[in-house]
Amino acid sequence: MDVKKLEEAEEEASNSKPLLNTSTSTSHSNKPTLLLNFIACMSLITAVTFAILFFSLSPSSSSSSTTTARPLKKLPHPVVLLISSDGFRFGYQFKTPTPNIHRLINNGTEALTGLIPVFPTLTFPNHYSIVTGLYPPHHGIINNFFFDPITGEKFTMASHESKWWLGQPLWETVANNGKTAATYFWPGSEVIKGLWTCPLRFCKHYDGSVPFEDRVDTVLEYFDLPLDEIPVFMTLYFEDPDHQGHQVGPDDDEITQAVSRIDGVIGRLINGLEKRGVFEDVTIIMVGDHGMVGTCDQKLVFLDDLAPWVDITPNWVHSYTPLLAIWPPSNHSAADVVVKINEGLSSGRVENGNKLRVFLKEDLPQRLHYADSNRIPPIIGLVQEGYKVEQSRTGKKECGGAHGYDNAFFSMRTIFIGHGPQFARGRKIPSFQNVEIYNLITSILNVKGAPNNGSDSFPQSVLLPYA
């Protein structure tokens, strides 16, 4: 029960006007005074009793009445299942009835205005930040595609060599602590690092054709193992609704259908855990990696329009949109290129030029944490929300969705839902960056984590302590 709310209710009751006027003449009998005092006392008691009942049953205060984590009933140790729904923009949970997702929300802890992704708000950088607690320059995955500046090798989403993947992801942390992890798809999970060997039994190589239901059923089968063999940490990944978002933008009926499908597979998971009697024991953390915003043809900036100031040729450009990344040849000063580009953009003679701003990477806003890596090209352009950068006019008609923009845009936010023994029921917490999730999970599992960019105190501000 919220003591402060009760005190406020008591104060409100004591300050309220009486139903009857209690001011009487001293010449009158004291019986009416006693009666009125009795009525006032009863009114106060009634008000306080109502306040106690109301606030004790209020979802917003239910978490405050729980001071410690709920004990495990069947599992001998904490188990965390980390679920990603790719491109699940914050607010999608309200586009259509999502009873299963809302069951997790109502009986768990939710980031009230969404989870903040790292910059750039792209799939691989964010998924790897979630499991390492590191910003992209520190874990090495600075884009979905990029080049090694020394060897010239190209990183793609199919690159599984450990040299690309820095930091220590959670499955490696768990293995290094002598425990078992299982991954059903997650960027970086197929990479052999430390004591993590991507075991065939517990490490699924990415295959987007596998039905979502099959993925859920495989994870549920892990709970049929002997109790001491159940992995303590698991991942589960779904491509939707990102797939649809790129094709039709965030407001189309296809998104509504995709969200409904995700809710359905979450329901399948919950039902399976309940049949096994472990739903309340398992910690489920459901997140997305980024949001989505609509884009259309009229929201374009063309690099060829900058030719009067500087000729940006395609071989200079490592990434066009929404993150513009330029690496000029060694005989060109990056600083001079930035000056010339911004001169052209601010001239008024470049279509939508005022929608793009170009920086030397070291001059980017520090809040982006996007400078401290030699993998990041020296010139980075930030385009306004919903705009895209292209080399030249092609006449191609396109109107869909995109992400990768500045993580300050609310449209880039995604969801965070925590449900389990250490998450208070019905609690809302402020938005936070996804680099905090690593320490949150290591705290739940009580394993020693690796150094990261998250806050050591964050888990204590979110989790219920064990008794």
Side-chain angles (χ1 to χ4, degrees):
M1 181 175 61
D2 193 318
V3 175
K4 183 177 180 182
K5 289 182 178 179
L6 178 56
E7 290 174 347
E8 290 173 350
E10 290 174 335
E11 182 179 358
E12 181 179 354
S14 63
N15 291 335
S16 61
K17 294 181 179 180
L19 296 177
L20 295 174
N21 187 351
T22 59
S23 61
T24 58
S25 168
T26 57
S27 63
H28 292 172
S29 168
N30 64 351
K31 289 184 179 180
T33 302
L34 292 173
L35 178 61
L36 293 172
N37 286 341
F38 176 76
I39 293 173
C41 288
M42 291 302 296
S43 298
L44 177 59
I45 292 171
T46 301
V48 171
T49 303
F50 175 79
I52 292 173
L53 290 172
F54 177 81
F55 289 119
S56 65
L57 295 175
S58 171
S60 63
S61 65
S62 61
S63 61
S64 62
S65 64
T66 306
T67 57
T68 58
R70 299 181 293 281
L72 301 180
K73 295 182 179 179
K74 185 169 182 178
L75 295 179
H77 52 69
V79 172
V80 174
L81 172 56
L82 178 63
I83 303 172
S84 170
S85 178
D86 200 321
F88 198 113
R89 173 174 164 168
F90 180 77
Y92 279 0
Q93 68 269 37
F94 305 115
K95 289 181 71 68
T96 187
T98 52
N100 300 299
I101 292 174
H102 272 85
R103 181 176 177 184
L104 299 179
I105 292 173
N106 296 335
N107 293 288
T109 297
E110 177 191 30
L112 182 60
T113 53
L115 181 67
I116 303 171
V118 296
F119 179 81
T121 52
L122 298 169
T123 296
F124 268 48
N126 273 276
H127 273 97
Y128 207 52
S129 284
I130 290 169
V131 295
T132 60
L134 297 171
Y135 292 113
H138 300 155
H139 64 53
I141 309 303
I142 55 97
N143 205 323
N144 288 339
F145 303 92
F146 58 91
F147 291 91
D148 184 304
I150 299 175
T151 66
E153 294 177 275
K154 185 178 182 179
F155 172 89
T156 72
M157 290 187 281
S159 299
H160 303 310
E161 300 85 3
S162 61
K163 64 183 179 182
W164 298 108
W165 305 83
L166 311 179
Q168 187 180 109
L170 280 162
W171 45 82
E172 181 185 351
T173 296
V174 168
N176 290 350
N177 279 269
K179 300 179 183 296
T180 304
T183 57
Y184 208 122
F185 304 161
W186 200 279
S189 62
E190 298 171 52
V191 178
I192 296 174
K193 289 177 82 279
L195 295 181
W196 174 253
T197 61
C198 188
L200 181 63
R201 186 184 187 189
F202 293 125
C203 178
K204 301 299 180 182
H205 289 240
Y206 181 71
D207 180 356
S209 68
V210 178
F212 292 174
E213 293 77 10
D214 290 358
R215 305 178 195 189
V216 168
D217 291 347
T218 297
V219 167
L220 289 172
E221 289 171 1
Y222 295 149
F223 292 95
D224 296 330
L225 296 170
L227 291 179
D228 60 349
E229 295 182 21
I230 297 175
V232 303
F233 174 69
M234 310 176 196
T235 69
L236 182 58
Y237 170 80
F238 305 115
E239 293 86 353
D240 293 354
D242 182 71
H243 173 70
Q244 294 82 0
H246 281 292
Q247 294 180 331
V248 298
D251 302 316
D252 194 271
D253 286 344
E254 285 190 38
I255 295 296
T256 304
Q257 296 168 18
V259 170
S260 181
R261 182 187 180 196
I262 291 296
D263 187 73
V265 294
I266 295 299
R268 186 184 188 94
L269 173 70
I270 292 173
N271 291 338
L273 292 174
E274 284 186 320
K275 288 179 181 177
R276 291 162 174 81
V278 296
F279 173 58
E280 293 297 338
D281 280 8
V282 176
T283 295
I284 297 175
I285 296 178
M286 183 175 179
V287 299
D289 51 346
H290 53 71
M292 186 70 68
V293 69
T295 60
C296 288
D297 288 334
Q298 65 268 29
K299 293 184 175 182
L300 297 173
V301 182
F302 301 102
L303 296 183
D304 283 354
D305 289 353
L306 294 167
W309 294 271
V310 58
D311 186 16
I312 305 296
T313 60
N315 61 309
W316 289 21
V317 183
H318 286 207
S319 172
Y320 279 98
T321 195
L323 174 69
L324 177 62
I326 297 174
W327 206 313
S330 57
N331 60 342
H332 287 72
S333 165
D336 289 344
V337 172
V338 167
V339 169
K340 292 175 181 177
I341 291 176
N342 283 327
E343 282 180 359
L345 294 173
S346 61
S347 69
R349 291 183 284 162
V350 173
E351 183 178 353
N352 296 320
N354 63 335
K355 304 301 182 183
L356 173 65
R357 180 73 187 279
V358 175
F359 301 81
L360 288 173
K361 65 179 181 182
E362 57 267 27
D363 294 333
L364 285 166
Q366 290 187 353
R367 63 179 175 79
L368 296 177
H369 301 281
Y370 199 66
D372 192 20
S373 172
N374 65 352
R375 295 177 178 180
I376 301 174
I379 300 173
I380 298 296
L382 303 180
V383 69
Q384 282 295 311
E385 184 178 25
Y387 284 80
K388 299 175 71 175
V389 179
E390 295 185 359
Q391 185 69 41
S392 57
R393 290 171 175 77
T394 63
K396 179 182 177 181
K397 298 297 181 182
E398 177 186 344
C399 195
H403 54 88
Y405 299 91
D406 190 332
N407 62 353
F409 293 136
F410 198 82
S411 61
M412 293 297 102
R413 290 197 184 186
T414 182
I415 56 170
F416 173 87
I417 306 165
H419 182 283
Q422 279 192 268
F423 285 108
R425 299 182 188 274
R427 186 181 178 194
K428 307 298 181 184
I429 59 175
S431 293
F432 60 92
Q433 281 206 349
N434 63 23
V435 293
E436 302 287 2
I437 294 175
Y438 178 90
N439 286 340
L440 198 65
I441 292 177
T442 57
S443 293
I444 295 170
L445 296 178
N446 193 27
V447 296
K448 180 177 175 55
N452 61 83
N453 297 127
S455 167
D456 291 337
S457 62
F458 181 78
Q460 286 69 46
S461 70
V462 173
L463 299 175
L464 297 171
Y466 281 115

